[in-house]
Amino acid sequence: MKTILNTDKAPAAIGPYSQGINTGNLMFLSGQLPICPAEGKIVAEDIEGQTKQSLENVKSILESAGCTMDNVVKTTVLLSDIANFGKMNEVYKGFFSEGNYPARSAFQVAALPQGALVEIEVVALKAE
């Protein structure tokens, strides 16, 4: 059985997809752009601000399902410029408990929607 995850504390989907899917004890969150839910657009201009907003969006979706960032088991980070990896990483590590970091992949891509510098998707494990 699957349940659609949806919260107004994260940006609404801008296409035919869900913010996330809960399949029992696994949750799959769609890639989160750094869209500020209150503004409905990307506000931050630098990689640090955009990474923070993307992860705040992830955190809000997880919280809507009764989870925290410590439930995350895998992330995929898409960057418009891999040179931003170090700055992204500094913000990223602050969203997880020390020693409880998820597995991660990071890639440079040709472009991201709305000119974003970063997009982050996650898989999380929910205790039943």
Side-chain angles (χ1 to χ4, degrees):
M1 182 172 124
K2 74 177 187 178
T3 305
I4 304 294
L5 299 176
N6 188 41
T7 178
D8 59 3
K9 294 181 180 177
I14 55 174
Y17 62 90
S18 301
Q19 290 176 335
I21 301 290
N22 183 353
T23 63
N25 66 341
L26 280 178
M27 290 180 292
F28 299 88
L29 275 59
S30 295
Q32 292 301 301
L33 292 169
I35 297 171
C36 172
E39 300 284 331
K41 63 182 181 180
I42 296 172
V43 176
E45 295 182 10
D46 61 5
I47 189 62
E48 295 92 344
Q50 289 196 18
T51 300
K52 181 179 186 295
Q53 185 63 64
S54 289
L55 289 168
E56 288 292 345
N57 295 343
V58 166
K59 184 178 172 184
S60 292
I61 297 167
L62 290 172
E63 287 174 349
S64 77
C67 294
T68 70
M69 295 296 281
D70 286 336
N71 291 92
V72 176
V73 295
K74 171 72 167 77
T75 66
T76 302
V77 178
L78 306 173
L79 296 162
S80 64
D81 184 349
I82 201 70
N84 284 328
F85 181 84
K87 291 178 180 178
M88 175 279 300
N89 205 45
E90 284 301 309
V91 175
Y92 176 97
K93 73 180 181 182
F95 276 80
F96 300 96
S97 297
E98 181 74 31
N100 192 25
Y101 301 119
R104 179 179 72 191
S105 300
F107 303 95
Q108 177 173 309
V109 297
L112 290 166
Q114 299 188 21
L117 302 175
V118 64
E119 181 174 0
I120 302 172
E121 68 175 33
V122 308
V123 176
L125 181 64
K126 182 177 182 179
E128 292 192 68

